[in-house]
Amino acid sequence: MLSIGWFSTGRDQAARDLLQVVYRSICSGEIPESEISFVFCSRNRGESTESDLFAEIVDSFKLPLVTFSSATFQAERREKGLQEERKGRSKLIQQWRRDYDREVMRRLGEYDIHLYVLAGYMLIVGEEMCQKYDLINLHPALPGGPKGTWQEVIWQLLENRASEAGAMIHLVTPELDQGSPLTFCRFSLRGEDFDPLWQDLEKKLQVRPLHEVREQEGETNLLFRKIRRQELAQEFPLIVTTIGALARGEIAIKNKQVVTSSGEVLQGGYDLTEKIGQKSIINISH
């Protein structure tokens, strides 16, 4: 039985959807011989409407929910550390992250977990937690692609006039979005569905720069929205297929490396594009 610890900040609909998809896939047997042993949320109940909705989903599945607010843990020290980090000095915030992680690990000490999944967890994990736990993260870009939040990734894709995008599951390291990839999938940003939207963006860029388009339209930009919809259509099957591959022993994490069933180190990640392309898009009730 693969025991899973689920980490999330619970900040939006996507965080709720990811948990629902994986939970239902475990219940249906698509992810075999697995269970979510606990859900950890870095916001306390009552801290935000979105995370409260996330907690309601967890409760409805009768999963243990552990909460510990990152915003209120040594808040002044955290804010000072973030200010110093913006000036290029990261020592204080790294120390704060270490102490926050230690408290999280203390609260989770009773659980015996094989795999820790970060899904919409908006904190950088420190070195001690990365060493102690086998942590994986869903990131909405291909290996070697843009880093940051999904919004930042999409704007970088637009800025670079990218011809393809994708998503990956990677090992978590203290360096943001730089861990070794376990799996990934890709999709084209060209073709009849995308070309008219690129043309529309190019017309706008003839009269104003991209940062103004971003400020004025934000997430309502049609190309931005199209890429996001396609990303989500890939991300849900990717995380289900990846956890399923781990549960079946097709891939494994050994000594902080990704290995195949024969024990060989998997370089560059397992390309699941074809498998995911054969799956129907998972329906989620909103």
Side-chain angles (χ1 to χ4, degrees):
M1 178 71 71
L2 180 70
S3 58
I4 299 167
W6 192 272
F7 281 66
S8 180
T9 301
R11 71 170 186 150
D12 56 17
Q13 181 72 49
R16 300 192 292 275
D17 289 346
L18 281 168
L19 177 61
Q20 290 183 77
V21 164
V22 171
Y23 177 80
R24 290 171 180 169
S25 297
I26 290 172
C27 292
S28 71
E30 184 176 2
I31 298 175
E33 298 297 318
S34 302
E35 66 176 6
I36 298 175
S37 299
F38 71 81
V39 175
F40 174 78
C41 183
S42 57
R43 291 177 178 171
N44 289 336
R45 293 181 190 267
E47 192 168 327
S48 81
T49 300
E50 291 293 332
S51 53
D52 283 352
L53 290 171
F54 180 79
E56 289 177 9
I57 293 289
V58 177
D59 292 342
S60 72
F61 294 154
K62 295 181 170 53
L63 298 173
L65 175 63
V66 181
T67 65
F68 183 50
S69 173
S70 61
T72 60
F73 175 72
Q74 300 183 5
E76 291 184 7
R77 181 180 168 213
R78 174 177 179 266
E79 182 57 33
K80 185 175 181 180
L82 291 172
Q83 291 174 358
E84 289 291 299
E85 187 178 43
R86 286 191 284 269
K87 298 174 184 177
R89 298 188 288 268
S90 60
K91 183 177 180 180
L92 287 180
I93 195 62
Q94 287 177 353
Q95 291 173 340
W96 178 90
R97 287 175 182 139
R98 176 202 62 200
D99 292 343
Y100 178 80
D101 287 350
R102 284 176 176 174
E103 181 59 26
V104 171
M105 290 187 286
R106 186 188 70 78
R107 292 170 183 241
L108 299 177
E110 66 182 274
Y111 296 100
D112 184 17
I113 302 297
H114 301 118
L115 178 69
Y116 296 81
V117 179
L118 308 189
Y121 189 65
M122 304 309 296
L123 301 177
I124 296 174
V125 177
E127 185 173 354
E128 288 186 16
M129 185 179 282
C130 288
Q131 289 298 321
K132 183 173 181 178
Y133 295 159
D134 285 333
L135 296 148
I136 64 172
N137 181 55
L138 170 64
H139 181 61
L142 290 167
K147 298 175 176 58
T149 66
W150 64 264
Q151 293 96 332
E152 291 166 342
V153 166
I154 294 177
W155 287 115
Q156 289 177 68
L157 293 172
L158 298 185
E159 182 177 7
N160 296 332
R161 279 40 169 206
S163 61
E164 65 174 5
M168 69 171 171
I169 307 290
H170 65 90
L171 291 175
V172 177
T173 65
E175 295 75 34
L176 183 64
D177 301 328
Q178 293 188 32
S180 299
L182 280 79
T183 60
F184 66 91
C185 62
R186 63 177 77 242
F187 60 90
S188 175
L189 296 180
R190 296 294 185 268
E192 61 181 16
D193 289 339
F194 282 97
D195 289 348
L197 301 178
W198 280 109
Q199 292 166 9
D200 179 65
L201 178 63
E202 292 297 342
K203 289 179 182 178
K204 293 175 181 177
L205 295 178
Q206 291 175 6
V207 295
R208 61 186 191 273
L210 183 62
H211 72 85
E212 289 188 10
V213 174
R214 179 175 181 173
E215 291 170 0
Q216 293 169 11
E217 299 185 22
E219 296 175 22
T220 67
N221 177 271
L222 294 179
L223 180 55
F224 183 102
R225 292 172 62 184
K226 176 66 176 176
I227 294 173
R228 179 56 176 164
R229 285 196 299 272
Q230 189 64 35
E231 278 183 351
L232 289 174
Q234 302 283 321
E235 287 176 8
F236 296 141
L238 178 63
I239 195 167
V240 168
T241 305
T242 300
I243 297 175
L246 288 163
R248 286 186 289 270
E250 296 170 12
I251 56 174
I253 302 170
K254 302 285 187 184
N255 299 319
K256 303 302 178 183
Q257 291 183 309
V258 186
V259 299
T260 65
S261 58
S262 61
E264 297 178 2
V265 175
L266 183 63
Q267 301 289 350
Y270 183 14
D271 188 349
L272 294 175
T273 303
E274 185 173 346
K275 281 189 176 183
I276 287 173
Q278 295 170 352
K279 288 178 176 284
S280 59
I281 296 175
I282 300 171
N283 291 318
I284 303 168
S285 59
H286 291 280

